[in-house]
Amino acid sequence: MRLSLLLLIPGIFVWSLFPLTSGEEQRIPEEKLLVVTVATKETDGFKRFFRSAKHLNYTVKVLGEGEKWKSGDYMSAPGGGQKVRLLKAALEEMTDGDKIILFIDSYDVVFASGPKELLKKFQQARHKVVFSSESLIWPDRHLEDKHPHVVEGNRFLGSGGFIGYLPNIKEMVSDWTGEDNDSDQLFFTKIYIDPVKRKSTNITLDSKCRLFQNLHGALDEVVLKFEDGRVRARNVLYDTLPVVIHGNGPTKINYLGNYIPNTWTFEMGCTVCHKDLHPLSEYPLVAIGIFIQQPTPFVGVFFERLLKLQYPKHRLKLFISNQEAHHEGQISSFLKDHGSLYQEVKLVGPEEEMDPPASRNLGVDMCRKDKHCDYFFLLDIDVVLENENTLQILIQQNLPIVAPMITRVGRLWSNFWGALSADGYYARSEDYVDIVQGRRVGVWNVPYVSSVFLVKASLLRAELSDYELFTSTLLDPDMAYCHNVRSKVSQRKHQEYLTCCESFLQEVFMYVTNMQTFGRILSTENYQMSHLHNDLWQIFENPVDWQKRYIHENYTLIMKDKLIETPCPDVYWFPIFSDVACDHIVEEMEHFGRWSGGNTTDARIQGGYENVPTIDIHMNQINFEKEWQKFLLEYIAPITEKMYPGYYTKFELAFVVRYKPDEQPSLRPHHDASTFTINVALNQVGRDYQGGGCRFLRYDCSVDAPRKGWTLLHPGRLTHYHEGLPTTAGVRYIAVSFVDP
């Protein structure tokens, strides 16, 4: 059978079926097909296009290599005439009348299938020239009524892709006399809407996207289709599988290009992630830009991790921009102890009152102006970079801009966007959740990265040579940076408009990798600065980091490796706090300083009378009772439920006790007013104090060498009558909680 185009009424075309003759059924040999494209420069987009062409065995002829692009950016005004001039000149040298020319853009195009399918669908169109189609008319809306109507499909011509016989395309472009910055879209449109020229050249549109899929105005129509180790784009509106995918206009192909034709498949995963890697035979010079714009938890830990980064310190320069006076002490301490390890350190403090865009621009410029600098590594202070090999991994990827994927614990928030909305803000791509949750692993081309990423210095000196990369009157610094990267700011002065549109020369791609686990990003919400050690209060906002900082490194092994000891009957002893936690709690209490007098009269407790008084400070006095309760539920309750089945952990009273020989050295025998008691040693016997300990009189059993960070868990009432043994020298601190079911 064959499809024939019939004109039923003026301007309306439909397809009819007729038997094919044997001659008409003969397929066009694949060697007759030549792909022609214009690429004045080998950009990331071109490399992606060429990779898909090579994979599917297309023969490609590239025009305009090395020429200066003079045809505009398609966004601010129509352009593209340079392409027509180059095509016309190239066709004049070709003589094979049977040759099939596929003329397409390349920077935002990928092939989804091979020449065999493309030629078959071209033959089925029964025309000498077939253009891609659009649902939106551009650049002249006044020409809408002159376009032929179609029964189904897109009505308007798209100049970014067409296929046809050499003589017909020669005829079509023979009348071109325009300038390089004239509109190719308008030129071809006027040919198509002219009935005489349309018939003479024998032009039709691929209205149902069987050959070409233009994405502008059609993103909702296109989904990925995974099949047999390859990936296609399926147009769900017309149920077609287009061969050429074109991210024209403001709609780019980055998301689909991460998959099509076989970049990532369910069978093979990422097929290109291990190609073109850069071996680290020598260590490039890296400038690390660290930016502190607001009060942030665990800053001290950040610098500890920076020190552990597996990269020679003499090949690192540090640029530290700190706009928060609260953190000056931590930065000063780090630089005093370790600053000399680095090749160079530049510090911009809060006294300089530098805004975020300016500080980031200055950091980038530090690398840009240093001819020896190879990479700039942006690192915000709220990034928890746990993978010590992160910098080496990113350099080995050999990409222009690449970010390690980091996420916020318990949320789908990450440091990249999978897509952009029409106005240039966040939009969730189809694969975003799978990437964030690790169900799809690879290196992904994305329109936005933030918080932590690596940039090649060669880009900063060339394509991204505009000094104010992070500056915009409309966008925040990260959005401004990514917009400028997508728009290739060095080709023109940055325009202050909100858009997601990219220039024709999409020079710089941004990537995010989740091939390894790199870390996470902190929550800076509700960060209090009213305490000495504010990180202690982060158990709710940043529970993972709180645990790593304050819970004993062996806590998770308690049950597995049977670390719970039983020094006395029904008394359990196990590690709970890190040394840092113990020190911070003690220092916080001494900083608060309002120790009780050790009298039986105590207005802090119900009834106002304490039978067995101690020198202490209650947790609620420093507004730590909620955090302490959370600690008990998360870390003590799982143990008590094992040791004392059936009891629910709910604390009634929590406080820190201080024992000193000249103040209160010991505590007389007593029962606690609890079902069971938690008693955590906050400092070290032998080093911080002498003596001390706890004796259970009924069993004549003592724990007289308490280990720092370990807790005693014992019944409070009835059975475990106990006393605090004398502290003979130094100062002893313990944290006590009375727990009732």
Side-chain angles (χ1 to χ4, degrees):
M1 299 292 289
R2 71 182 173 94
L3 290 169
S4 180
L5 188 65
L6 295 180
L7 179 62
L8 295 184
I9 59 176
I12 302 291
F13 294 85
V14 296
W15 294 102
S16 257
L17 295 175
F18 293 94
L20 286 170
T21 67
S22 59
E24 289 173 321
E25 290 177 335
Q26 184 176 357
R27 291 181 176 176
I28 301 172
E30 293 181 24
E31 58 267 22
K32 290 291 184 179
L33 175 66
L34 176 65
V35 178
V36 180
T37 190
V38 173
T40 58
K41 196 171 184 180
E42 189 180 276
T43 66
D44 293 323
F46 178 80
K47 292 175 184 177
R48 177 182 59 191
F49 161 80
F50 196 79
R51 185 170 61 240
S52 71
K54 182 179 179 181
H55 174 74
L56 294 166
N57 297 315
Y58 283 96
T59 301
V60 179
K61 181 178 180 63
V62 181
L63 308 179
E65 292 179 277
E67 277 197 20
K68 182 179 180 181
W69 179 251
K70 303 174 182 178
S71 280
D73 63 6
Y74 287 111
M75 298 298 105
S76 56
Q82 186 174 356
K83 295 192 297 178
V84 186
R85 172 178 63 79
L86 291 169
L87 175 63
K88 180 181 178 180
L91 295 181
E92 288 174 353
E93 300 177 2
M94 301 181 191
T95 58
D96 185 354
D98 293 330
K99 185 174 287 294
I100 305 296
I101 301 297
L102 172 64
F103 187 66
I104 52 175
D105 292 344
S106 58
Y107 294 129
D108 50 6
V109 168
V110 293
F111 287 105
S113 189
K116 181 178 179 180
E117 181 178 337
L118 178 75
L119 291 170
K120 179 181 178 181
K121 290 181 175 179
F122 169 61
Q123 283 185 281
Q124 291 172 346
R126 302 300 174 214
H127 282 72
K128 298 297 185 180
V129 178
V130 180
F131 271 85
S132 67
S133 66
E134 301 263 12
S135 62
L136 305 173
I137 186 170
W138 187 84
D140 189 349
R141 295 182 180 179
H142 297 94
L143 299 177
E144 179 175 351
D145 292 341
K146 296 185 178 182
H147 282 73
H149 290 273
V150 295
V151 174
E152 186 181 11
N154 297 325
R155 183 182 170 195
F156 307 111
L157 175 144
S159 64
F162 56 85
I163 184 172
Y165 285 93
L166 174 62
N168 300 77
I169 295 180
K170 269 188 175 182
E171 175 189 348
M172 184 172 63
V173 301
S174 61
D175 293 336
W176 174 262
T177 57
E179 300 296 327
D180 280 358
N181 61 351
D182 286 342
S183 172
D184 63 329
Q185 173 79 14
L186 192 59
F187 172 73
F188 289 121
T189 295
K190 287 182 176 180
I191 294 175
Y192 175 66
I193 63 176
D194 184 324
V196 175
K197 291 183 178 180
R198 183 171 67 244
K199 182 177 180 181
S200 172
T201 310
N202 196 7
I203 302 175
T204 191
L205 300 187
D206 178 34
S207 294
K208 293 186 179 181
C209 307
R210 301 183 73 244
L211 290 90
F212 304 96
Q213 177 66 65
N214 289 320
L215 295 177
H216 183 41
L219 269 181
D220 292 340
E221 301 171 10
V222 181
V223 297
L224 290 171
K225 184 177 187 295
F226 295 88
E227 55 176 25
D228 302 326
R230 67 173 182 166
V231 187
R232 299 293 298 268
R234 175 172 174 255
N235 186 302
V236 295
L237 184 61
Y238 306 120
D239 195 21
T240 54
L241 296 173
V243 177
V244 178
I245 315 300
H246 181 201
N248 57 321
T251 306
K252 290 302 169 185
I253 197 171
N254 295 355
Y255 161 60
L256 297 176
N258 284 325
Y259 297 90
I260 299 170
N262 76 325
T263 303
W264 193 98
T265 67
F266 282 109
E267 292 84 359
M268 300 293 294
C270 181
T271 62
V272 299
C273 291
H274 298 289
K275 295 181 179 179
D276 300 322
L277 297 180
H278 175 70
L280 275 181
S281 54
E282 296 181 357
Y283 288 96
L285 180 62
V286 181
I288 301 180
I290 299 167
F291 299 93
I292 309 171
Q293 305 295 343
Q294 61 184 344
T296 305
F298 303 107
V299 168
V301 182
F302 173 93
F303 284 107
E304 290 174 12
R305 290 198 175 97
L306 180 67
L307 199 61
K308 294 177 181 178
L309 204 60
Q310 294 300 299
Y311 205 87
K313 302 293 184 292
H314 70 281
R315 299 299 293 163
L316 296 175
K317 291 186 173 185
L318 297 185
F319 174 87
I320 303 175
S321 173
N322 173 36
Q323 300 307 309
E324 181 49 61
H326 176 72
H327 294 306
E328 285 188 291
Q330 293 157 310
I331 297 168
S332 176
S333 177
F334 170 76
L335 293 180
K336 179 182 177 181
D337 294 339
H338 309 292
S340 61
L341 298 175
Y342 297 90
Q343 186 179 116
E344 181 183 341
V345 176
K346 179 176 177 60
L347 174 63
V348 177
E351 69 280 356
E352 300 193 34
E353 298 182 349
M354 188 174 292
D355 63 26
S359 63
R360 291 173 186 268
N361 288 330
L362 185 62
V364 166
D365 211 44
M366 172 181 171
C367 178
R368 180 188 286 122
K369 291 180 177 178
D370 181 356
K371 65 180 181 179
H372 301 294
C373 183
D374 299 299
Y375 292 92
F376 180 74
F377 186 46
L378 184 143
L379 184 59
D380 283 342
I381 197 69
D382 55 358
V383 171
V384 179
L385 210 56
E386 288 196 307
N387 190 326
E388 297 177 359
N389 296 308
T390 295
L391 195 49
Q392 293 190 44
I393 292 169
L394 298 183
I395 292 172
Q396 288 170 343
Q397 286 296 324
N398 196 26
L399 294 169
I401 300 174
V402 58
M405 189 191 77
I406 56 173
T407 60
R408 184 164 291 170
V409 175
R411 296 173 61 180
L412 290 174
W413 191 97
S414 74
N415 65 323
F416 77 95
W417 295 352
L420 294 174
S421 65
D423 56 1
Y425 287 97
Y426 171 82
R428 180 171 291 182
S429 61
E430 180 186 349
D431 58 356
Y432 178 81
V433 174
D434 282 346
I435 293 173
V436 169
Q437 295 183 343
R439 291 192 291 269
R440 298 185 190 184
V441 174
V443 180
W444 312 94
N445 184 356
V446 296
Y448 174 92
V449 294
S450 67
S451 301
V452 51
F453 52 83
L454 184 75
V455 186
K456 283 187 175 180
S458 57
L459 288 176
L460 300 176
R461 301 185 189 105
E463 288 88 348
L464 303 180
S465 59
D466 191 311
Y467 172 69
E468 297 182 341
L469 276 175
F470 292 89
T471 301
S472 169
T473 59
L474 298 174
L475 306 172
D476 69 35
D478 290 327
M479 288 185 65
Y481 168 79
C482 294
H483 165 74
N484 289 337
V485 167
R486 295 192 306 270
S487 301
K488 190 178 179 291
V489 296
S490 66
Q491 291 295 314
R492 53 180 170 80
K493 194 67 177 174
H494 175 65
Q495 300 176 27
E496 297 296 348
Y497 59 87
L498 187 58
T499 176
C500 66
C501 301
E502 302 172 50
S503 64
F504 174 73
L505 291 178
Q506 184 182 327
E507 284 294 316
V508 182
F509 281 0
M510 293 172 281
Y511 298 86
V512 65
T513 173
N514 66 340
M515 295 285 287
Q516 290 87 15
T517 300
F518 294 99
R520 59 193 170 275
I521 191 159
L522 294 170
S523 169
T524 57
E525 301 169 6
N526 304 317
Y527 183 60
Q528 303 178 38
M529 295 190 295
S530 57
H531 308 285
L532 179 65
H533 295 294
N534 298 290
D535 295 347
L536 274 172
W537 277 258
Q538 286 293 301
I539 190 170
F540 291 103
E541 293 293 335
N542 294 289
V544 173
D545 296 271
W546 194 93
Q547 175 175 327
K548 288 179 178 293
R549 185 64 164 166
Y550 292 128
I551 296 300
H552 197 285
E553 61 182 355
N554 292 330
Y555 172 81
T556 56
L557 304 176
I558 287 175
M559 294 301 185
K560 179 182 176 182
D561 294 345
K562 299 180 180 179
L563 293 184
I564 298 179
E565 299 180 16
T566 310
C568 300
D570 290 324
V571 175
Y572 302 102
W573 201 18
F574 55 89
I576 189 67
F577 275 147
S578 67
D579 282 359
V580 173
C582 295
D583 294 343
H584 282 192
I585 292 172
V586 169
E587 290 166 11
E588 196 69 45
M589 293 301 179
E590 289 292 358
H591 178 71
F592 181 73
R594 300 175 189 174
W595 296 94
S596 68
N599 301 316
T600 54
T601 300
D602 193 341
R604 299 172 301 170
I605 61 176
Q606 187 176 4
Y609 179 80
E610 173 58 67
N611 187 43
V612 187
T614 54
I615 304 293
D616 58 47
I617 296 175
H618 289 189
M619 295 297 182
N620 61 11
Q621 289 181 261
I622 61 168
N623 297 316
F624 196 61
E625 67 275 17
K626 291 181 180 178
E627 288 74 14
W628 189 261
Q629 170 75 349
K630 178 70 171 176
F631 155 70
L632 291 175
L633 292 176
E634 292 291 331
Y635 301 102
I636 297 296
I639 308 301
T640 61
E641 289 169 8
K642 290 285 186 181
M643 301 299 103
Y644 306 124
Y647 287 98
Y648 173 75
T649 303
K650 179 182 178 182
F651 84 93
E652 295 296 330
L653 193 61
F655 49 95
V656 170
V657 178
R658 182 174 72 184
Y659 290 110
K660 294 171 65 175
D662 59 351
E663 188 177 66
Q664 181 182 13
S666 61
L667 192 61
R668 65 180 176 81
H670 63 282
H671 283 294
D672 289 335
S674 66
T675 303
F676 51 87
T677 297
I678 311 297
N679 181 333
V680 186
L682 296 178
N683 55 349
Q684 186 62 52
V685 64
R687 184 188 65 191
D688 301 317
Y689 65 91
Q690 301 294 328
C694 183
R695 177 171 176 260
F696 296 93
L697 280 71
R698 180 175 181 178
Y699 307 104
D700 192 23
C701 178
S702 297
V703 180
D704 52 12
R707 301 168 191 163
K708 183 178 181 180
W710 282 55
T711 185
L712 286 174
L713 176 63
H714 62 82
R717 299 186 180 94
L718 298 178
T719 57
H720 283 63
Y721 193 60
H722 60 285
E723 63 180 333
L725 299 176
T727 297
T728 58
V731 183
R732 179 189 176 209
Y733 299 92
I734 60 172
V736 178
S737 285
F738 293 160
V739 182
D740 281 310

